[in-house]
Coordinates of all heavy atoms in Angstrom, one line a residue:
M1 N 2.3 18.5 10.4 CA 3.0 17.3 9.8 C 3.5 17.6 8.4 O 2.7 18.0 7.5 CB 2.1 16.1 9.8 CG 2.1 15.3 11.1 SD 2.0 13.6 10.8 CE 0.7 13.3 9.6
G2 N 4.8 17.5 8.2 CA 5.3 17.8 6.9 C 5.3 16.5 6.0 O 5.0 15.5 6.5
F3 N 5.7 16.7 4.8 CA 5.8 15.5 3.9 C 7.0 14.7 4.3 O 8.1 15.1 4.6 CB 6.0 16.0 2.5 CG 6.1 14.9 1.5 CD1 5.0 14.2 1.1 CD2 7.3 14.5 1.0 CE1 5.1 13.2 0.2 CE2 7.5 13.5 0.1 CZ 6.3 12.8 -0.3
Q4 N 6.7 13.4 4.4 CA 7.8 12.5 4.8 C 8.1 11.6 3.6 O 7.2 11.2 2.8 CB 7.4 11.6 5.9 CG 7.5 12.3 7.2 CD 6.9 11.5 8.4 OE1 5.7 11.4 8.5 NE2 7.8 10.9 9.2
R5 N 9.3 11.3 3.4 CA 9.7 10.5 2.3 C 9.1 9.0 2.4 O 9.1 8.4 3.5 CB 11.2 10.4 2.2 CG 11.7 10.4 0.8 CD 13.2 10.5 0.8 NE 13.7 9.5 -0.2 CZ 13.5 9.6 -1.5 NH1 12.7 10.5 -2.0 NH2 14.0 8.6 -2.3
I6 N 8.6 8.6 1.3 CA 8.1 7.2 1.3 C 9.1 6.3 0.6 O 9.4 6.4 -0.6 CB 6.7 7.2 0.5 CG1 5.7 8.0 1.4 CG2 6.2 5.8 0.3 CD1 4.3 8.0 0.9
N7 N 9.6 5.4 1.4 CA 10.6 4.5 0.8 C 10.2 3.0 0.7 O 10.7 2.3 -0.1 CB 11.9 4.5 1.7 CG 12.6 5.8 1.6 OD1 12.8 6.4 0.5 ND2 12.9 6.4 2.8
T8 N 9.2 2.7 1.6 CA 8.8 1.3 1.6 C 7.3 1.1 1.4 O 6.6 2.1 1.5 CB 9.2 0.6 2.9 OG1 8.4 1.2 4.0 CG2 10.6 0.8 3.3
L9 N 6.9 -0.1 1.2 CA 5.5 -0.4 1.0 C 4.7 -0.1 2.3 O 3.6 0.4 2.2 CB 5.4 -1.9 0.6 CG 4.0 -2.3 0.0 CD1 3.7 -1.5 -1.2 CD2 4.1 -3.8 -0.3
S10 N 5.3 -0.3 3.4 CA 4.6 0.0 4.7 C 4.4 1.5 4.8 O 3.4 1.9 5.4 CB 5.4 -0.5 5.9 OG 6.5 -1.3 5.5
D11 N 5.3 2.3 4.3 CA 5.1 3.7 4.4 C 3.8 4.1 3.6 O 3.1 5.0 4.0 CB 6.3 4.5 3.8 CG 7.6 4.4 4.6 OD1 7.5 4.1 5.8 OD2 8.6 4.5 4.0
I12 N 3.6 3.5 2.5 CA 2.5 3.7 1.7 C 1.2 3.3 2.4 O 0.2 4.0 2.5 CB 2.6 3.0 0.3 CG1 3.7 3.6 -0.5 CG2 1.2 3.0 -0.4 CD1 3.9 3.0 -1.9
A13 N 1.2 2.1 3.0 CA 0.1 1.5 3.6 C -0.3 2.3 4.9 O -1.5 2.6 5.1 CB 0.4 0.1 4.1
K14 N 0.7 2.8 5.6 CA 0.5 3.5 6.8 C -0.2 4.9 6.5 O -1.0 5.3 7.3 CB 1.8 3.8 7.5 CG 2.1 2.8 8.7 CD 3.4 3.2 9.4 CE 4.6 2.7 8.7 NZ 5.9 3.2 9.2
R15 N 0.1 5.4 5.4 CA -0.5 6.7 5.1 C -1.8 6.6 4.3 O -2.3 7.6 3.9 CB 0.5 7.5 4.3 CG 1.7 8.0 5.2 CD 2.8 8.5 4.3 NE 3.9 9.1 5.1 CZ 4.8 8.3 5.7 NH1 4.7 7.0 5.7 NH2 5.7 8.9 6.4
G16 N -2.2 5.4 4.0 CA -3.5 5.2 3.3 C -3.4 5.5 1.8 O -4.4 5.7 1.2
Y17 N -2.1 5.4 1.3 CA -2.0 5.6 -0.2 C -2.1 4.2 -0.8 O -2.1 3.2 -0.2 CB -0.6 6.2 -0.5 CG -0.4 7.6 -0.2 CD1 0.6 8.0 0.6 CD2 -1.3 8.6 -0.7 CE1 0.8 9.4 0.9 CE2 -1.1 9.9 -0.4 CZ 0.0 10.3 0.4 OH 0.1 11.6 0.7
W18 N -2.1 4.3 -2.2 CA -2.0 3.1 -2.9 C -0.7 3.0 -3.6 O -0.1 4.1 -3.9 CB -3.2 3.0 -4.0 CG -4.4 2.4 -3.4 CD1 -5.0 2.8 -2.2 CD2 -5.1 1.3 -3.9 NE1 -6.1 2.0 -2.0 CE2 -6.2 1.1 -3.0 CE3 -5.0 0.5 -5.0 CZ2 -7.1 0.1 -3.2 CZ3 -5.9 -0.5 -5.3 CH2 -7.0 -0.7 -4.4
L19 N -0.3 1.8 -4.0 CA 1.0 1.7 -4.7 C 0.7 1.8 -6.2 O -0.2 1.2 -6.7 CB 1.6 0.3 -4.4 CG 2.8 -0.1 -5.3 CD1 4.0 0.7 -4.9 CD2 3.1 -1.6 -5.1
K20 N 1.5 2.6 -6.8 CA 1.3 2.8 -8.3 C 2.6 2.3 -9.0 O 3.7 2.8 -8.6 CB 1.1 4.3 -8.6 CG 0.7 4.5 -10.1 CD 0.2 5.9 -10.3 CE 1.4 6.8 -10.8 NZ 0.9 8.1 -11.2
L21 N 2.4 1.5 -9.9 CA 3.5 1.0 -10.7 C 3.4 1.4 -12.1 O 2.3 1.1 -12.7 CB 3.6 -0.6 -10.6 CG 3.9 -1.1 -9.2 CD1 3.5 -2.6 -9.1 CD2 5.4 -1.0 -8.9
T22 N 4.4 2.0 -12.6 CA 4.4 2.4 -14.0 C 5.5 1.8 -14.8 O 6.6 1.9 -14.5 CB 4.5 4.0 -14.1 OG1 3.6 4.6 -13.2 CG2 4.1 4.4 -15.5
C23 N 5.1 1.1 -15.8 CA 6.1 0.4 -16.7 C 6.7 1.3 -17.7 O 6.0 2.3 -18.0 CB 5.5 -0.8 -17.3 SG 6.6 -1.7 -18.4
K24 N 7.8 1.0 -18.2 CA 8.5 1.7 -19.3 C 7.6 1.8 -20.5 O 7.6 2.7 -21.3 CB 9.8 1.1 -19.7 CG 10.9 1.4 -18.7 CD 11.6 2.7 -19.1 CE 12.7 3.2 -18.2 NZ 13.1 2.6 -17.0
C25 N 6.7 0.8 -20.7 CA 5.8 0.8 -21.9 C 4.6 1.7 -21.7 O 3.8 1.8 -22.6 CB 5.4 -0.6 -22.2 SG 4.2 -1.3 -21.1
G26 N 4.5 2.2 -20.5 CA 3.3 3.1 -20.3 C 2.2 2.4 -19.5 O 1.3 3.1 -19.1
H27 N 2.3 1.1 -19.4 CA 1.3 0.4 -18.6 C 1.3 0.8 -17.2 O 2.4 0.8 -16.6 CB 1.5 -1.1 -18.8 CG 0.4 -1.9 -18.2 ND1 -0.9 -1.7 -18.5 CD2 0.4 -3.0 -17.4 CE1 -1.7 -2.6 -17.9 NE2 -0.9 -3.4 -17.2
M28 N 0.2 1.1 -16.6 CA 0.2 1.5 -15.2 C -0.8 0.7 -14.4 O -1.8 0.3 -14.9 CB -0.2 3.0 -15.1 CG 0.0 3.6 -13.8 SD -1.6 3.6 -12.8 CE -2.3 5.1 -13.4
R29 N -0.5 0.4 -13.2 CA -1.4 -0.3 -12.4 C -1.3 0.1 -10.9 O -0.2 0.5 -10.4 CB -1.4 -1.8 -12.5 CG -0.2 -2.5 -11.9 CD -0.2 -3.9 -12.2 NE 0.8 -4.6 -11.5 CZ 1.2 -5.9 -11.7 NH1 0.6 -6.5 -12.7 NH2 2.1 -6.5 -11.0
R30 N -2.4 0.0 -10.2 CA -2.4 0.3 -8.8 C -2.6 -0.9 -8.0 O -3.4 -1.8 -8.4 CB -3.5 1.3 -8.5 CG -3.4 2.6 -9.2 CD -4.6 3.4 -8.7 NE -4.8 4.6 -9.6 CZ -5.6 5.6 -9.3 NH1 -6.2 5.6 -8.2 NH2 -5.7 6.6 -10.2
C31 N -1.9 -1.0 -6.9 CA -2.1 -2.2 -6.0 C -2.5 -1.8 -4.6 O -2.0 -0.7 -4.1 CB -0.8 -3.0 -5.9 SG -0.2 -3.6 -7.5
D32 N -3.2 -2.6 -4.0 CA -3.6 -2.4 -2.6 C -2.3 -2.7 -1.8 O -1.8 -3.9 -1.7 CB -4.7 -3.4 -2.2 CG -5.2 -3.2 -0.8 OD1 -4.4 -2.7 0.0 OD2 -6.3 -3.5 -0.5
P33 N -1.7 -1.7 -1.1 CA -0.5 -2.0 -0.4 C -0.6 -3.0 0.8 O 0.4 -3.7 1.1 CB 0.0 -0.6 0.1 CG -1.3 0.2 0.1 CD -2.2 -0.4 -0.9
D34 N -1.7 -3.0 1.4 CA -1.9 -3.9 2.6 C -1.8 -5.4 2.1 O -1.1 -6.1 2.8 CB -3.3 -3.6 3.2 CG -3.3 -2.3 4.0 OD1 -2.3 -2.0 4.7 OD2 -4.2 -1.5 3.8
K35 N -2.5 -5.7 1.1 CA -2.5 -7.1 0.6 C -1.1 -7.5 0.2 O -0.7 -8.6 0.5 CB -3.5 -7.2 -0.6 CG -4.9 -7.3 -0.1 CD -5.8 -7.8 -1.2 CE -7.3 -7.7 -0.8 NZ -8.0 -6.9 -1.8
L36 N -0.5 -6.6 -0.6 CA 0.8 -7.0 -1.1 C 1.9 -7.1 0.0 O 2.7 -7.9 0.1 CB 1.3 -5.9 -2.1 CG 2.6 -6.1 -2.9 CD1 2.5 -7.4 -3.7 CD2 2.8 -5.0 -3.8
L37 N 1.7 -6.2 1.0 CA 2.6 -6.1 2.1 C 2.5 -7.4 2.9 O 3.5 -8.0 3.3 CB 2.3 -4.9 3.0 CG 3.3 -4.6 4.1 CD1 4.6 -4.3 3.6 CD2 2.7 -3.4 4.9
E38 N 1.3 -7.8 3.1 CA 1.1 -9.1 3.9 C 1.8 -10.2 3.2 O 2.4 -11.1 3.9 CB -0.4 -9.3 3.9 CG -0.9 -10.2 5.0 CD -2.4 -10.4 4.9 OE1 -3.2 -9.5 5.1 OE2 -2.8 -11.5 4.5
R39 N 1.6 -10.3 1.9 CA 2.2 -11.4 1.2 C 3.8 -11.4 1.2 O 4.4 -12.4 1.4 CB 1.8 -11.3 -0.3 CG 1.8 -12.6 -1.0 CD 1.3 -12.5 -2.4 NE 0.1 -11.7 -2.6 CZ -0.4 -11.5 -3.8 NH1 0.1 -12.0 -4.9 NH2 -1.5 -10.8 -3.9
L40 N 4.3 -10.1 1.1 CA 5.7 -10.0 1.1 C 6.3 -10.3 2.5 O 7.4 -10.9 2.6 CB 6.1 -8.6 0.7 CG 5.9 -8.2 -0.8 CD1 6.2 -6.7 -1.0 CD2 6.8 -9.0 -1.7
M41 N 5.6 -9.9 3.5 CA 6.1 -10.1 4.9 C 6.2 -11.6 5.2 O 7.1 -12.1 5.8 CB 5.2 -9.4 5.9 CG 5.1 -7.9 5.8 SD 6.6 -7.1 6.3 CE 6.0 -6.3 7.8
R42 N 5.2 -12.3 4.7 CA 5.1 -13.7 5.0 C 6.3 -14.4 4.4 O 6.8 -15.4 4.9 CB 3.8 -14.3 4.4 CG 3.2 -15.3 5.3 CD 1.9 -15.8 4.6 NE 0.9 -14.8 4.6 CZ 0.0 -14.7 3.6 NH1 0.0 -15.5 2.5 NH2 -1.0 -13.8 3.6
R43 N 6.8 -13.9 3.3 CA 7.9 -14.5 2.6 C 9.2 -13.9 3.1 O 10.3 -14.3 2.7 CB 7.8 -14.2 1.1 CG 7.0 -15.2 0.3 CD 7.3 -15.0 -1.2 NE 6.2 -14.3 -1.9 CZ 6.4 -13.6 -3.0 NH1 7.6 -13.5 -3.5 NH2 5.3 -13.1 -3.6
G44 N 9.1 -12.9 3.9 CA 10.3 -12.2 4.4 C 11.0 -11.4 3.3 O 12.2 -11.2 3.3
A45 N 10.2 -11.0 2.4 CA 10.8 -10.3 1.2 C 11.0 -8.8 1.6 O 10.5 -8.2 2.5 CB 9.9 -10.4 0.0
D46 N 11.9 -8.2 0.7 CA 12.2 -6.8 0.9 C 11.0 -5.9 0.4 O 10.5 -6.1 -0.6 CB 13.4 -6.5 -0.1 CG 14.1 -5.2 0.3 OD1 13.4 -4.3 0.7 OD2 15.3 -5.2 0.1
T47 N 10.6 -5.0 1.3 CA 9.5 -4.2 0.9 C 9.8 -2.8 0.5 O 9.0 -1.9 0.3 CB 8.5 -4.1 2.1 OG1 9.1 -3.4 3.2 CG2 8.0 -5.4 2.5
R48 N 11.1 -2.6 0.2 CA 11.5 -1.2 -0.3 C 11.0 -1.1 -1.7 O 11.1 -2.0 -2.5 CB 13.0 -1.1 -0.3 CG 13.5 -0.6 1.1 CD 15.0 -0.7 1.1 NE 15.5 -2.0 0.8 CZ 16.8 -2.3 0.5 NH1 17.7 -1.3 0.6 NH2 17.2 -3.5 0.3
L49 N 10.6 0.1 -2.0 CA 10.0 0.3 -3.3 C 11.0 0.1 -4.5 O 10.7 -0.4 -5.5 CB 9.5 1.8 -3.5 CG 8.3 2.1 -2.5 CD1 7.8 3.5 -2.8 CD2 7.1 1.1 -2.7
S50 N 12.2 0.5 -4.2 CA 13.3 0.3 -5.2 C 13.5 -1.2 -5.5 O 13.8 -1.6 -6.7 CB 14.6 0.9 -4.8 OG 14.9 0.4 -3.5
H51 N 13.3 -2.0 -4.5 CA 13.5 -3.4 -4.7 C 12.2 -4.1 -5.3 O 12.3 -5.0 -6.2 CB 13.8 -4.1 -3.4 CG 14.1 -5.5 -3.4 ND1 15.3 -6.0 -3.6 CD2 13.2 -6.6 -3.4 CE1 15.3 -7.4 -3.6 NE2 14.0 -7.7 -3.5
L52 N 11.1 -3.6 -4.8 CA 9.8 -4.1 -5.2 C 9.6 -4.1 -6.8 O 9.2 -5.0 -7.4 CB 8.8 -3.2 -4.6 CG 7.3 -3.7 -4.6 CD1 7.2 -4.8 -3.5 CD2 6.4 -2.6 -4.2
A53 N 10.0 -3.0 -7.3 CA 9.8 -2.8 -8.8 C 10.5 -3.8 -9.6 O 10.1 -4.1 -10.7 CB 10.3 -1.4 -9.1
K54 N 11.6 -4.4 -9.1 CA 12.3 -5.4 -9.8 C 11.6 -6.7 -9.8 O 12.0 -7.6 -10.5 CB 13.7 -5.5 -9.3 CG 14.6 -4.3 -9.5 CD 16.0 -4.5 -9.0 CE 16.7 -3.2 -8.8 NZ 17.2 -3.0 -7.5
N55 N 10.7 -6.9 -8.9 CA 10.0 -8.2 -8.7 C 8.6 -8.2 -9.3 O 7.9 -9.2 -9.2 CB 10.0 -8.6 -7.3 CG 11.4 -9.0 -6.8 OD1 12.0 -9.9 -7.3 ND2 11.9 -8.2 -5.8
M56 N 8.3 -7.2 -10.0 CA 7.0 -7.1 -10.6 C 7.2 -7.3 -12.1 O 8.2 -6.8 -12.7 CB 6.3 -5.8 -10.4 CG 6.3 -5.4 -8.9 SD 5.2 -6.4 -7.9 CE 3.7 -5.5 -8.1
K57 N 6.2 -8.0 -12.8 CA 6.4 -8.2 -14.2 C 5.2 -7.5 -14.9 O 4.0 -7.7 -14.5 CB 6.4 -9.7 -14.5 CG 6.9 -10.0 -15.9 CD 7.0 -11.5 -16.0 CE 7.2 -11.8 -17.5 NZ 7.1 -13.3 -17.7
C58 N 5.5 -6.8 -15.9 CA 4.4 -6.1 -16.7 C 3.6 -7.1 -17.5 O 4.1 -8.0 -18.1 CB 5.0 -5.1 -17.6 SG 3.8 -4.2 -18.6
G59 N 2.3 -7.0 -17.3 CA 1.4 -7.9 -18.0 C 1.2 -7.5 -19.5 O 0.7 -8.3 -20.3
M60 N 1.7 -6.4 -19.9 CA 1.6 -5.9 -21.3 C 2.8 -6.3 -22.1 O 2.7 -6.8 -23.2 CB 1.4 -4.4 -21.3 CG 0.1 -3.9 -20.7 SD -1.4 -4.4 -21.6 CE -1.4 -3.2 -22.8
C61 N 4.0 -6.0 -21.5 CA 5.2 -6.2 -22.3 C 6.2 -7.2 -21.7 O 7.1 -7.6 -22.3 CB 5.9 -4.8 -22.5 SG 6.7 -4.2 -21.0
G62 N 5.9 -7.6 -20.5 CA 6.7 -8.6 -19.8 C 8.0 -8.1 -19.2 O 8.8 -8.9 -18.7
R63 N 8.2 -6.8 -19.3 CA 9.4 -6.2 -18.8 C 9.4 -6.2 -17.2 O 8.3 -6.1 -16.7 CB 9.7 -4.8 -19.3 CG 10.6 -4.8 -20.5 CD 10.8 -3.3 -20.9 NE 9.7 -2.8 -21.6 CZ 9.8 -1.8 -22.4 NH1 10.9 -1.2 -22.6 NH2 8.7 -1.3 -23.0
K64 N 10.5 -6.1 -16.6 CA 10.5 -5.9 -15.2 C 11.2 -4.6 -14.9 O 12.3 -4.5 -14.3 CB 11.3 -7.0 -14.5 CG 10.6 -8.4 -14.5 CD 11.4 -9.4 -13.8 CE 10.7 -10.7 -13.7 NZ 11.4 -11.7 -13.0
D65 N 10.6 -3.5 -15.4 CA 11.2 -2.2 -15.3 C 10.1 -1.2 -14.9 O 9.7 -0.4 -15.7 CB 11.8 -1.9 -16.7 CG 12.9 -0.8 -16.5 OD1 13.1 -0.3 -15.4 OD2 13.5 -0.5 -17.6
F66 N 9.7 -1.3 -13.7 CA 8.7 -0.4 -13.2 C 9.2 0.7 -12.4 O 10.3 0.6 -11.7 CB 7.7 -1.2 -12.2 CG 6.8 -2.1 -12.9 CD1 7.0 -3.4 -13.1 CD2 5.6 -1.6 -13.4 CE1 6.1 -4.3 -13.7 CE2 4.7 -2.4 -14.1 CZ 5.0 -3.8 -14.2
E67 N 8.5 1.8 -12.4 CA 8.8 2.9 -11.5 C 7.7 2.7 -10.4 O 6.5 2.8 -10.7 CB 8.6 4.2 -12.2 CG 9.1 5.4 -11.4 CD 8.5 6.7 -11.9 OE1 8.2 6.8 -13.1 OE2 8.4 7.6 -11.0
A68 N 8.1 2.5 -9.2 CA 7.2 2.4 -8.1 C 7.0 3.7 -7.3 O 8.0 4.3 -6.9 CB 7.7 1.3 -7.1
T69 N 5.8 4.1 -7.1 CA 5.5 5.3 -6.4 C 4.2 5.1 -5.7 O 3.6 4.0 -5.7 CB 5.6 6.5 -7.3 OG1 5.3 7.7 -6.6 CG2 4.6 6.4 -8.5
H70 N 3.7 6.2 -5.1 CA 2.4 6.1 -4.4 C 1.4 7.0 -5.0 O 1.8 7.9 -5.7 CB 2.6 6.4 -2.9 CG 3.0 7.8 -2.7 ND1 4.3 8.2 -2.9 CD2 2.4 8.9 -2.3 CE1 4.5 9.5 -2.6 NE2 3.3 10.0 -2.2
C71 N 0.1 6.8 -4.8 CA -0.9 7.7 -5.3 C -2.0 7.8 -4.4 O -2.2 7.0 -3.4 CB -1.4 7.1 -6.7 SG -2.1 5.5 -6.6
E72 N -2.8 8.8 -4.6 CA -4.0 9.1 -3.7 C -5.1 8.0 -3.9 O -5.2 7.5 -5.0 CB -4.6 10.4 -4.1 CG -3.8 11.6 -3.7 CD -3.7 11.9 -2.2 OE1 -4.6 11.4 -1.5 OE2 -2.8 12.5 -1.8
G73 N -5.8 7.8 -2.8 CA -7.0 6.9 -2.8 C -7.1 6.0 -4.0 O -6.1 5.7 -4.7
A74 N -8.2 5.5 -4.3 CA -8.3 4.5 -5.4 C -9.7 4.5 -6.0 O -10.5 3.6 -5.6 CB -7.9 3.2 -5.0
A75 N -10.0 5.4 -6.8 CA -11.4 5.5 -7.4 C -11.6 4.3 -8.3 O -12.7 3.8 -8.4 CB -11.5 6.8 -8.2
D76 N -10.5 3.8 -8.8 CA -10.6 2.6 -9.7 C -10.0 1.4 -9.1 O -9.4 0.5 -9.7 CB -9.8 2.9 -11.0 CG -8.3 3.1 -10.8 OD1 -7.9 3.4 -9.6 OD2 -7.5 3.1 -11.7
R77 N -10.3 1.2 -7.8 CA -9.7 0.1 -7.0 C -10.1 -1.2 -7.5 O -9.4 -2.2 -7.3 CB -10.1 0.2 -5.5 CG -11.6 0.2 -5.2 CD -11.8 0.4 -3.8 NE -11.1 -0.6 -2.9 CZ -10.9 -0.4 -1.6 NH1 -11.2 0.7 -1.1 NH2 -10.3 -1.3 -0.9
F78 N -11.2 -1.3 -8.3 CA -11.6 -2.7 -8.8 C -11.2 -2.9 -10.2 O -11.3 -3.9 -10.8 CB -13.1 -2.9 -8.6 CG -13.5 -2.8 -7.2 CD1 -14.3 -1.7 -6.7 CD2 -13.1 -3.7 -6.3 CE1 -14.7 -1.7 -5.4 CE2 -13.5 -3.6 -4.9 CZ -14.3 -2.6 -4.5
A79 N -10.6 -1.8 -10.8 CA -10.3 -1.9 -12.2 C -9.0 -2.7 -12.5 O -8.9 -3.4 -13.5 CB -10.1 -0.5 -12.8
I80 N -8.1 -2.6 -11.6 CA -6.8 -3.3 -11.8 C -6.5 -4.2 -10.6 O -6.5 -3.8 -9.5 CB -5.7 -2.2 -12.0 CG1 -6.0 -1.3 -13.2 CG2 -4.4 -2.9 -12.2 CD1 -5.1 -0.1 -13.3
R81 N -6.2 -5.4 -10.9 CA -5.8 -6.3 -9.9 C -4.3 -6.5 -9.9 O -3.7 -6.7 -10.9 CB -6.5 -7.7 -10.1 CG -7.9 -7.6 -9.5 CD -8.5 -9.0 -9.6 NE -7.6 -10.0 -8.9 CZ -7.8 -11.3 -9.0 NH1 -8.8 -11.8 -9.7 NH2 -7.0 -12.1 -8.3
C82 N -3.8 -6.5 -8.7 CA -2.4 -6.8 -8.5 C -2.1 -8.2 -8.6 O -2.6 -9.0 -7.9 CB -1.9 -6.2 -7.2 SG -0.1 -6.4 -7.0
A83 N -1.2 -8.6 -9.5 CA -0.9 -10.0 -9.7 C 0.5 -10.4 -9.3 O 1.1 -11.3 -9.8 CB -1.2 -10.5 -11.1
A84 N 1.1 -9.6 -8.4 CA 2.5 -9.8 -8.1 C 2.7 -11.1 -7.4 O 1.9 -11.5 -6.6 CB 3.0 -8.6 -7.2
Ligands
ZN101 ZN1 5.2 -2.9 -19.8

C-alpha cells in the first residue's frame, strides 16, 4: 500500500489519523476526526480539508486562516479540545 492523498476529513478518519489545524499565528490544535466528521455530516457540510479550514476559528487570534493537515496518533488527545 502506497501513500494516498488525503483530501477529506473521512480520509483522515479512515486511516486512523488525527486532524491537525495550524493557524497563521502559530496556534495548533488537533481534533478527533470521527467526532468532527459526525457533526459535519449531520449538517451536510463539506468535509474537504481545504473547505474545513475556512470554517474553523482560532481561539488565540480569531483568524480563520488555518492550514489543515493530518498527524499521527494523539499522545495529547486530551490536551486540546476541538470547538469547531
Ligand atoms: Zn491564530
Side-chain angles (χ1 to χ4, degrees):
M1 274 220 314
F3 179 78
Q4 284 173 283
R5 215 173 137 64
I6 291 182
N7 292 313
T8 67
L9 195 56
S10 354
D11 292 337
I12 291 182
K14 264 184 275 174
R15 288 167 177 76
Y17 287 127
W18 272 53
L19 171 68
K20 187 170 97 176
L21 293 162
T22 313
C23 178
K24 282 272 181 350
C25 74
H27 187 52
M28 188 267 274
R29 73 183 188 193
R30 299 184 195 189
C31 300
D32 184 334
D34 290 313
K35 283 197 188 122
L36 187 57
L37 190 61
E38 199 184 290
R39 207 181 313 181
L40 290 173
M41 296 290 248
R42 219 180 292 145
R43 273 195 254 156
D46 197 326
T47 63
R48 275 173 303 171
L49 296 182
S50 53
H51 182 92
L52 194 74
K54 291 181 198 126
N55 287 302
M56 310 290 273
K57 194 174 167 188
C58 177
M60 297 293 278
C61 69
R63 265 185 284 203
K64 291 184 173 179
D65 202 355
F66 283 97
E67 186 199 335
T69 178
H70 62 284
C71 59
E72 290 288 340
D76 61 344
R77 63 184 301 162
F78 300 113
I80 302 171
R81 278 189 53 191
C82 179

